[in-house]
Structures are given as C-alpha cells and as structure tokens.
Amino acid sequence: MPIQLYALALGTFAVGTTEFVMMGLLPSVASDLAVSIPVTGLLVTGYALGVVIGAPIMTLGTARLDRKTLLVSLMSLFVIGNLMSAIAPNYAVMLAGRIVSSFM
C-alpha cells in the first residue's frame, strides 16, 4: 500500500479520536480545570458547533485552493488546536483549542 494511504488513515483516526475521547475524560478534565462535569461537557458541544458552523465556512472559503496544500494546512490547524487543548491552563483555552481543532 502507498504511504499516502497510511497517512490518510492515521489522520482519520486522529480526527475521530479527538471527537469522541473527551466524553470518557470528562470527570478528569473537570477536576483538572476546577469546573463541574456539566460545564466540561460543553467542550464536546463546542467541538460539535465548530464542526457544524466551521465546516461549511471552511469549504466555501477554501474551494479554490490546491487540495494537497489544503489538507496539510487543515491538519496543521488540527494539530495546533490539539496542542492548545493539551497545554490548556484553564477552561477558556481548552474550549478555544477544541473549537480550533474542530475546523478540520
């Protein structure tokens, strides 16, 4: 199999994991950020809203770009959002990171 197929599969796995792993981590994240579990659940909602609102906007705004460049750019944005979430010192930064990564 070509290496590009492995890279695409890894990217798909990473995006899917980012969407759903937060649900299992809610109690730990709530404890670390010193907020309640229902408030932490809004991180899942923020990601979902970012996908619903951001995806059509990103699709319309990037329709004329080269597909390979666009894929690399969006995966870079995804990595930046996940890094923001990983090092988030507070809830606001965590939410911003989740929203940034959802634009992928």
Side-chain angles (χ1 to χ4, degrees), residues 18-19 22-27 29-30 33 35-51 85 90-102:
T18 298
E19 285 184 50
M22 181 58 69
M23 289 175 251
L25 297 174
L26 286 178
V29 173
L33 296 177
V35 294
S36 68
I37 292 175
V39 170
T40 307
L42 292 175
L43 294 172
V44 176
T45 305
Y47 188 93
L49 287 174
V51 170
S85 296
N90 57 41
Y91 182 81
V93 174
M94 179 74 152
L95 183 60
R98 293 280 295 166
I99 292 172
V100 167
S101 65
S102 72

Side-chain angles (χ1 to χ4, degrees), residues 11-28:
T12 302
F13 175 77
V15 170
T17 302
T18 298
E19 285 184 50
F20 298 113
V21 77
M22 181 58 69
M23 289 175 251
L25 297 174
L26 286 178
S28 299

Side-chain angles (χ1 to χ4, degrees), residues 73-89:
S73 300
L74 289 176
M75 284 308 290
S76 298
L77 186 66
F78 178 74
V79 168
I80 289 167
N82 280 313
L83 286 173
M84 284 175 64
S85 296
I87 62 171

